[in-house]
Amino acid sequence: MSGRIPDDFIDAVLARTDIADVIGTRVPLRRSGRELIGRCPFHEEKTPSFTVSPQKQFYHCFGCGAHGTAIGFLMAIDRLDFREAITELAQRAGMPLPEAAGSAQARGGPPLAPLYEVLSAASAFYQKQLRRHPAAGSAVDYLKNRGLTGATAARFHLGFAPDEWDSLKRALAPRYGETLLRQAGLLTGDDDRRGYDRFRGRIVFPIEDRRGRVIGFGGRIIGAGEPKYLNSPETPVFHKGRELYGLPNVLQHARNPDALLVVEGYMDVLMLAQHGIDTAVAVLGTALTAEHLRAAFRITPRLVLCFDGDAAGRRAAERAVDTALAELTDGRELRLLFLPQGEDPDSLVRRIGRDAFLAQVGTAMPVSQYLLHRLEQQVDIGSTEGRARLSALARPLLDKLPAGLYRDLLAEDIGRLVGRPITPAAGVRPALAARGRPRPGRRPSLVRRAILLLAHYPQLAAELDVLHTVQGIDRPGMDLLRRLLDAIAQLRQPRLDHLIELWRDSDDGAMLSRILASTELAPDTPDQAAQELRQIAAGLLAQARRAQLRTLLRDASPSQLDPKQKAEVLALLNQRRQTPT
């Protein structure tokens, strides 16, 4: 299972958790037979297609395919990571998270709760200084000159750090201690010297995680001085290459936003929000990272990256696209918005207003179009040499993309420019893209059906000996079925939610997830599933015997078989007559 949390602790949390209680606080549910049903919280629908099974501790939406355990529900609905979801469920169950689970203390770091507390206190201190400090007038004037209203400043909890060496330390150290202030990144200075305030003479922007907890700060100097912007250092709760400024504001306005606009600076987010555009987030003074992209794609499948229209903006776009390619799985959409020369989102929205700005966002360039244009600009497409060069330049880009339909379609577009097909590097298509739902009108394979039934009723793995008699059969998917049986044997309590968490973040888990997301229905009872599994086992054995017959007769007629081979053929024929297919 994911992270450093012990497997037995996760099992215990799941055993004490009722998924119906967890989901029922967010989704109105009504009983329908053995299950509960309601409207899916992950997509708009008028007819309820969202089901919750208290027996299997599993939810599934037949409309959009969303499914999972109580852990997965909290991760999806609240955008929590695995550890945060486990922690929340453990707290509901009255179970303290074990230190062996990889807590900050177990790793030799400070406990996290005091860090969150002191950072919240620092934010309150800075906000108070912006309202009351005698020198705060320069900060207020700066914000007014930038067009920011007091309401927006209050909404984003902006503050002011006086230009003093120890104003924050004097206010907070008596309660929290200098060591904790250092660990939170609020003090700086050599370890063997007295610490002093990191942020001085700056407007302070609190940086909050998706749950609204303060995890760090950004500071903009007032007047001359370097650096113009200063961020908190890396701490146990703050990693600037991972966090997106403004994310709590987005989630307050839309749990499932259609798209996110990724911008560069704090003021861009604030000014867009002031103009009614509450879908903007900013990277924190660093280049866009894969972790930024993953965090954004957890919120929405559509991103618009905003860049200056000058040469520096083009270079930044090129770096961002190269980083983003590996994250562009099927279903995700990335677009690029290049602003007019000398403009940033802050200045542009103030000049042209909300509607005109959104109209420009609507013209953002799909990343596929950008890549094709970028490749064409580097070669003479009219010459054989240029087309060959374009093909060579395209291959590394295609190889960065996850295997799937998007990569195949882009390869086709590039192939049309080159004049011949472009084949990406050979690779195994990811489980989620490769073997999805059965084609319409086509029955699922026996092996796939067995996997679905065993996932829903894993207790049958120990009850049905017939399942082990088919493990040596060579059929597509049998490797996964064998690993599934092995995984179920590891579970102390064979249950669907335990199995899903055992395989979380693995290739096998991705394949199982795709099978569970299909429209195939599982039987209502274990007895029905057991009966079907026996029939599947008989069918697989019959298929294996037919394959053996074909192998024996492939290279020789019956008259050419030796006595031993003839005996094998007769035995297989007798078994075939006795076994229904």
Side-chain angles (χ1 to χ4, degrees), residues 172-220:
L172 300 187
R175 178 176 178 182
Y176 295 102
E178 188 169 329
T179 298
L180 186 60
L181 292 174
R182 279 185 179 275
Q183 291 169 344
L186 298 169
L187 300 186
T188 187
D190 296 336
D191 290 341
D192 57 351
R193 296 170 54 191
R194 293 175 59 189
Y196 52 87
D197 292 359
R198 180 177 298 277
F199 298 99
R200 305 181 306 281
R202 294 177 181 271
I203 295 168
V204 177
F205 302 82
I207 302 166
E208 300 174 348
D209 65 12
R210 57 186 173 275
R211 302 176 71 179
R213 298 176 300 190
V214 179
I215 55 176
F217 298 94
R220 206 284 184 193

Coordinates of all heavy atoms in Angstrom, one line a residue, residues 172-220:
L172 N 6.1 36.2 18.8 CA 5.8 34.8 18.8 C 6.8 33.9 19.6 O 6.3 32.8 20.0 CB 5.7 34.3 17.4 CG 4.7 34.9 16.4 CD1 4.6 34.2 15.1 CD2 3.3 35.0 17.1
A173 N 8.0 34.3 19.7 CA 9.0 33.4 20.4 C 8.6 33.1 21.8 O 8.8 32.0 22.3 CB 10.4 34.0 20.3
P174 N 8.1 34.1 22.6 CA 7.7 33.7 24.0 C 6.7 32.6 24.1 O 6.8 31.8 25.0 CB 7.1 35.0 24.5 CG 7.7 36.1 23.7 CD 7.9 35.5 22.4
R175 N 5.9 32.4 23.1 CA 4.9 31.3 23.1 C 5.4 30.1 22.4 O 5.1 29.0 22.9 CB 3.6 31.8 22.5 CG 2.5 30.7 22.4 CD 1.2 31.2 21.9 NE 0.2 30.2 21.8 CZ -1.0 30.3 21.3 NH1 -1.4 31.5 20.8 NH2 -1.9 29.3 21.2
Y176 N 6.0 30.2 21.3 CA 6.4 29.1 20.4 C 7.8 28.7 20.5 O 8.2 27.5 20.2 CB 6.0 29.4 19.0 CG 4.5 29.6 18.8 CD1 4.0 30.8 18.6 CD2 3.6 28.5 18.7 CE1 2.6 31.0 18.4 CE2 2.3 28.6 18.6 CZ 1.8 29.9 18.4 OH 0.4 30.1 18.2
G177 N 8.7 29.6 20.9 CA 10.1 29.2 21.0 C 10.8 29.5 19.7 O 10.2 29.4 18.6
E178 N 12.1 29.9 19.8 CA 12.8 30.3 18.6 C 13.1 29.1 17.7 O 13.1 29.2 16.5 CB 14.1 30.9 19.0 CG 14.9 31.5 17.8 CD 16.1 32.4 18.3 OE1 16.0 33.0 19.4 OE2 17.1 32.5 17.6
T179 N 13.2 27.9 18.3 CA 13.5 26.7 17.5 C 12.4 26.4 16.5 O 12.6 26.1 15.3 CB 13.7 25.5 18.4 OG1 14.9 25.7 19.2 CG2 14.0 24.2 17.5
L180 N 11.1 26.5 17.0 CA 10.0 26.2 16.1 C 9.9 27.3 15.0 O 9.5 27.0 13.9 CB 8.7 26.1 16.9 CG 7.5 25.7 16.1 CD1 7.6 24.3 15.5 CD2 6.2 25.7 17.0
L181 N 10.2 28.5 15.4 CA 10.1 29.6 14.4 C 11.1 29.4 13.3 O 10.8 29.6 12.1 CB 10.4 31.0 15.1 CG 9.3 31.5 16.0 CD1 9.7 32.7 16.7 CD2 8.0 31.7 15.3
R182 N 12.3 28.9 13.6 CA 13.3 28.5 12.6 C 12.8 27.4 11.7 O 12.9 27.4 10.5 CB 14.6 28.1 13.3 CG 15.5 29.3 13.7 CD 16.8 28.7 14.2 NE 17.7 29.8 14.7 CZ 18.5 30.4 13.9 NH1 18.6 30.1 12.6 NH2 19.4 31.3 14.3
Q183 N 12.2 26.3 12.4 CA 11.8 25.2 11.6 C 10.7 25.5 10.7 O 10.5 24.9 9.6 CB 11.3 24.1 12.6 CG 12.4 23.5 13.4 CD 11.9 22.6 14.5 OE1 10.7 22.7 14.9 NE2 12.8 21.7 15.1
A184 N 9.9 26.6 11.0 CA 8.8 27.0 10.1 C 9.3 28.0 9.0 O 8.5 28.4 8.2 CB 7.7 27.7 10.9
G185 N 10.6 28.3 9.1 CA 11.2 29.2 8.0 C 10.9 30.7 8.3 O 11.1 31.5 7.4
L186 N 10.5 31.0 9.5 CA 10.2 32.4 9.9 C 11.4 33.2 10.3 O 11.4 34.5 10.2 CB 9.1 32.4 10.9 CG 7.7 31.8 10.5 CD1 6.8 31.6 11.7 CD2 7.1 32.6 9.4
L187 N 12.4 32.5 10.8 CA 13.6 33.2 11.3 C 14.8 32.7 10.4 O 14.7 31.6 9.8 CB 13.9 32.9 12.7 CG 12.9 33.3 13.8 CD1 13.5 33.0 15.2 CD2 12.5 34.7 13.7
T188 N 15.8 33.6 10.3 CA 17.0 33.2 9.5 C 18.2 33.6 10.4 O 18.0 34.1 11.5 CB 17.0 33.9 8.2 OG1 18.1 33.3 7.4 CG2 17.1 35.4 8.3
G189 N 19.4 33.4 9.9 CA 20.6 33.6 10.6 C 21.3 32.3 11.0 O 20.7 31.2 10.9
D190 N 22.6 32.4 11.2 CA 23.4 31.2 11.5 C 22.8 30.5 12.8 O 22.3 31.1 13.7 CB 24.8 31.5 11.8 CG 25.5 32.1 10.5 OD1 25.0 31.8 9.4 OD2 26.5 32.9 10.7
D191 N 22.9 29.2 12.8 CA 22.4 28.4 13.9 C 23.0 28.8 15.2 O 22.4 28.7 16.3 CB 22.6 26.9 13.7 CG 21.7 26.4 12.5 OD1 20.7 27.1 12.2 OD2 22.0 25.3 12.0
D192 N 24.3 29.2 15.2 CA 25.0 29.5 16.5 C 24.8 31.0 16.9 O 25.4 31.5 17.8 CB 26.4 29.2 16.4 CG 27.2 29.8 15.3 OD1 26.5 30.5 14.4 OD2 28.4 29.8 15.2
R193 N 24.0 31.7 16.1 CA 23.7 33.1 16.4 C 22.2 33.3 16.7 O 21.4 32.5 16.3 CB 24.2 34.0 15.3 CG 25.7 34.0 15.0 CD 26.0 34.7 13.7 NE 25.5 36.1 13.7 CZ 25.4 36.8 12.6 NH1 25.8 36.4 11.5 NH2 24.9 38.1 12.7
R194 N 21.9 34.4 17.2 CA 20.5 34.7 17.4 C 19.8 34.9 16.1 O 20.3 35.6 15.2 CB 20.4 36.0 18.3 CG 20.9 35.8 19.7 CD 20.8 37.1 20.5 NE 19.5 37.6 20.6 CZ 19.2 38.9 21.0 NH1 20.1 39.7 21.4 NH2 17.9 39.3 21.1
G195 N 18.6 34.3 16.0 CA 17.9 34.4 14.7 C 17.2 35.8 14.6 O 16.9 36.5 15.6
Y196 N 16.9 36.2 13.4 CA 16.2 37.4 13.1 C 15.1 37.1 12.1 O 15.1 36.1 11.4 CB 17.1 38.5 12.7 CG 18.0 38.2 11.5 CD1 17.6 38.4 10.2 CD2 19.3 37.7 11.7 CE1 18.4 38.1 9.1 CE2 20.1 37.4 10.7 CZ 19.7 37.6 9.4 OH 20.5 37.3 8.3
D197 N 14.1 38.0 12.0 CA 13.0 37.8 11.1 C 13.4 37.7 9.6 O 14.2 38.5 9.1 CB 12.0 39.0 11.2 CG 11.3 39.1 12.5 OD1 11.6 38.2 13.4 OD2 10.5 40.0 12.7
R198 N 12.9 36.6 8.9 CA 13.2 36.4 7.5 C 12.6 37.5 6.7 O 13.2 38.0 5.7 CB 12.8 35.0 7.1 CG 13.1 34.7 5.6 CD 12.6 33.3 5.2 NE 13.4 32.3 6.0 CZ 14.6 31.9 5.7 NH1 15.2 32.4 4.6 NH2 15.2 31.0 6.4
F199 N 11.3 37.8 7.0 CA 10.6 38.8 6.1 C 10.6 40.1 6.8 O 10.1 40.3 8.0 CB 9.2 38.3 5.9 CG 9.1 37.0 5.2 CD1 8.9 35.8 5.8 CD2 9.2 37.0 3.8 CE1 8.8 34.6 5.2 CE2 9.1 35.8 3.1 CZ 8.9 34.6 3.8
R200 N 11.2 41.1 6.2 CA 11.3 42.5 6.8 C 11.0 43.5 5.6 O 11.6 43.4 4.6 CB 12.7 42.7 7.4 CG 13.1 41.7 8.4 CD 14.5 42.0 9.0 NE 15.5 42.2 8.0 CZ 16.1 41.2 7.4 NH1 15.8 39.9 7.7 NH2 17.1 41.5 6.5
G201 N 10.2 44.5 5.9 CA 9.9 45.5 5.0 C 9.3 45.0 3.7 O 9.5 45.5 2.6
R202 N 8.4 44.0 3.9 CA 7.7 43.4 2.7 C 6.2 43.3 2.9 O 5.7 43.1 4.0 CB 8.3 42.0 2.4 CG 9.8 42.1 2.0 CD 10.3 40.7 1.9 NE 11.8 40.7 1.5 CZ 12.2 40.8 0.2 NH1 11.3 40.8 -0.8 NH2 13.5 40.8 0.0
I203 N 5.5 43.3 1.8 CA 4.1 42.9 1.8 C 4.2 41.3 1.8 O 4.9 40.7 1.0 CB 3.4 43.4 0.5 CG1 3.3 44.9 0.6 CG2 2.0 42.8 0.4 CD1 2.8 45.5 -0.7
V204 N 3.3 40.7 2.6 CA 3.4 39.3 2.8 C 2.2 38.6 2.2 O 1.0 39.0 2.5 CB 3.6 39.0 4.3 CG1 3.6 37.5 4.5 CG2 4.9 39.6 4.9
F205 N 2.4 37.6 1.4 CA 1.4 36.8 0.8 C 1.4 35.4 1.5 O 2.3 34.6 1.2 CB 1.6 36.6 -0.7 CG 1.7 37.9 -1.4 CD1 2.9 38.6 -1.5 CD2 0.6 38.4 -2.1 CE1 2.9 39.8 -2.2 CE2 0.6 39.6 -2.8 CZ 1.8 40.3 -2.9
P206 N 0.4 35.1 2.4 CA 0.4 33.7 2.9 C 0.1 32.7 1.8 O -0.7 32.9 1.0 CB -0.8 33.8 3.9 CG -1.0 35.2 4.2 CD -0.6 35.9 2.9
I207 N 0.9 31.6 1.9 CA 0.7 30.5 0.9 C 0.0 29.4 1.7 O 0.4 28.9 2.7 CB 2.1 30.0 0.4 CG1 2.8 31.2 -0.3 CG2 1.9 28.8 -0.6 CD1 4.3 30.9 -0.5
E208 N -1.2 29.0 1.1 CA -2.0 28.0 1.8 C -2.1 26.7 1.0 O -2.1 26.8 -0.3 CB -3.4 28.6 2.0 CG -3.4 29.8 2.9 CD -4.8 30.4 3.0 OE1 -5.7 30.0 2.2 OE2 -5.0 31.3 3.9
D209 N -2.2 25.6 1.6 CA -2.4 24.3 0.9 C -3.9 24.2 0.5 O -4.7 25.1 0.8 CB -1.9 23.1 1.7 CG -2.7 22.9 3.0 OD1 -3.7 23.5 3.2 OD2 -2.2 22.1 3.8
R210 N -4.2 23.1 -0.1 CA -5.6 23.0 -0.7 C -6.6 22.9 0.5 O -7.8 23.0 0.2 CB -5.7 21.8 -1.6 CG -5.3 20.5 -1.0 CD -5.3 19.4 -2.1 NE -4.7 18.1 -1.5 CZ -3.4 17.8 -1.5 NH1 -2.6 18.7 -1.9 NH2 -3.0 16.7 -1.0
R211 N -6.2 22.6 1.7 CA -7.1 22.6 2.8 C -7.2 23.9 3.5 O -7.9 24.0 4.5 CB -6.7 21.5 3.8 CG -6.6 20.1 3.1 CD -6.1 19.0 4.1 NE -7.0 18.7 5.1 CZ -6.8 17.8 6.1 NH1 -5.7 17.1 6.1 NH2 -7.7 17.5 7.0
G212 N -6.5 24.9 3.0 CA -6.5 26.3 3.6 C -5.6 26.5 4.7 O -5.7 27.5 5.4
R213 N -4.6 25.6 5.0 CA -3.7 25.8 6.1 C -2.5 26.6 5.6 O -2.0 26.3 4.5 CB -3.2 24.4 6.6 CG -4.3 23.5 7.2 CD -3.8 22.2 7.6 NE -3.3 21.4 6.4 CZ -2.9 20.1 6.5 NH1 -3.1 19.4 7.6 NH2 -2.5 19.5 5.4
V214 N -2.0 27.5 6.3 CA -0.8 28.3 6.0 C 0.4 27.4 6.0 O 0.6 26.7 7.1 CB -0.7 29.5 6.9 CG1 0.6 30.3 6.5 CG2 -1.9 30.4 6.8
I215 N 1.1 27.3 4.9 CA 2.3 26.5 4.9 C 3.6 27.3 4.7 O 4.7 26.7 4.8 CB 2.2 25.4 3.8 CG1 1.9 26.0 2.5 CG2 1.1 24.4 4.2 CD1 1.8 25.0 1.3
G216 N 3.5 28.5 4.3 CA 4.6 29.4 4.0 C 4.2 30.7 3.6 O 3.0 31.1 3.6
F217 N 5.2 31.6 3.2 CA 4.9 32.9 2.8 C 5.7 33.4 1.6 O 6.8 32.8 1.4 CB 5.2 33.9 4.0 CG 4.4 33.6 5.2 CD1 4.8 32.8 6.2 CD2 3.1 34.2 5.3 CE1 4.1 32.6 7.3 CE2 2.3 33.9 6.4 CZ 2.8 33.2 7.5
G218 N 5.2 34.3 0.9 CA 5.9 35.0 -0.1 C 6.0 36.5 0.3 O 4.9 37.0 0.8
G219 N 7.1 37.2 0.1 CA 7.2 38.6 0.5 C 7.7 39.4 -0.7 O 8.7 39.1 -1.3
R220 N 6.9 40.5 -0.9 CA 7.3 41.5 -2.0 C 7.9 42.7 -1.3 O 7.2 43.4 -0.5 CB 6.1 41.8 -2.8 CG 6.4 42.3 -4.3 CD 6.9 43.7 -4.4 NE 7.0 44.0 -5.8 CZ 7.7 45.1 -6.2 NH1 8.3 45.9 -5.3 NH2 7.8 45.4 -7.5

